[in-house]
């Protein structure tokens, strides 16, 4: 059954991209959640990515994120594509760069849509495309003294 959008609340908001940033300061889940508040949204999905204590069978001591100068523009392009493909009321995405410790937040994204299924799908598309297309690189340091670079794109 196809959804019809016969109410203004079902349509994409005028300016649904509310917050996009790449920053070297700690991220706030509350800030991102507040940014996507919208009275016409029936569903809001939030994804939080944190530094975990292991990867690939190795203990992680910490990591650093760095990005290409084009990363903010690429993040905007990814967000605009999500807005074009889904009935997004509000969207926000922030990614951290710099040195992070285990437990620190690395990325927080959120999307509000008229319905929950759309919000889940749009948020998944946003985080997946951000990780695959925005030029942000992760430099992991393991407890055995080895390290590894992981490219986002």
């Amino acid at each position: 059954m196809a959804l019809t959008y016969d109410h203004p609340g079902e349509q994409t908001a005028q300016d649904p991209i509310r917050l996009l940033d790449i920053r070297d300061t700690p991220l706030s889940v509350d800030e991102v959640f507040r940014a996507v508040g919208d009275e016409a949204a029936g569903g809001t999905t939030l994804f939080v990515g944190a530094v975990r204590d292991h990867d690939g069978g190795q203990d992680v001591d910490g990591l650093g994120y760095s990005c290409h100068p084009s990363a903010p523009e690429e993040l905007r392009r990814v967000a605009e594509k999500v807005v074009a493909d889904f009935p997004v009321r509000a969207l926000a995405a922030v990614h951290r760069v710099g040195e992070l410790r285990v437990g620190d937040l690395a990325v927080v994204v959120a999307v509000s849509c008229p319905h929950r299924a759309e919000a889940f799908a749009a948020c998944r598309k946003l985080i997946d495309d951000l990780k695959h297309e925005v030029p942000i690189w992760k430099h992991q340091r393991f407890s055995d003294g080895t390290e590894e670079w992981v490219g986002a794109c």
Side-chain angles (χ1 to χ4, degrees), residues 11-67:
Q11 304 298 320
T12 300
Q14 286 293 84
D15 187 12
I17 299 174
R18 307 275 175 85
L19 171 64
L20 293 178
D21 203 7
I22 297 172
R23 56 178 71 148
D24 61 2
T25 57
L27 305 183
S28 166
V29 172
D30 291 338
E31 175 192 22
V32 173
F33 184 69
R34 280 191 308 272
V36 297
D38 190 287
E39 291 182 359
T44 298
T45 302
L46 180 93
F47 173 81
V48 178
V51 177
R52 63 181 176 265
D53 66 358
H54 68 281
D55 189 38
Q58 294 183 309
D59 292 334
V60 171
D61 283 345
L63 55 82
Y65 281 101
S66 59
C67 68

Side-chain angles (χ1 to χ4, degrees), residues 17 19-22 70-81 91 93-95 109 126 130 133-136:
I17 299 174
L19 171 64
L20 293 178
D21 203 7
I22 297 172
S70 69
E73 292 79 21
E74 290 302 309
L75 179 57
R76 175 155 296 278
R77 186 187 59 74
V78 164
E80 289 172 349
K81 178 82 167 93
L91 177 150
V94 291
H95 201 295
V109 301
L126 177 59
L130 185 160
E133 298 179 25
V134 179
I136 298 172

Side-chain angles (χ1 to χ4, degrees), residues 63-114:
L63 55 82
Y65 281 101
S66 59
C67 68
H68 189 271
S70 69
E73 292 79 21
E74 290 302 309
L75 179 57
R76 175 155 296 278
R77 186 187 59 74
V78 164
E80 289 172 349
K81 178 82 167 93
V82 171
V83 167
D85 290 347
F86 296 91
V88 173
R89 298 295 310 171
L91 177 150
V94 291
H95 201 295
R96 179 111 179 251
V97 292
E99 294 301 312
L100 284 76
R101 294 178 293 171
V102 171
D104 286 347
L105 302 185
V107 62
V108 182
V109 301
V111 177
S112 292
C113 291

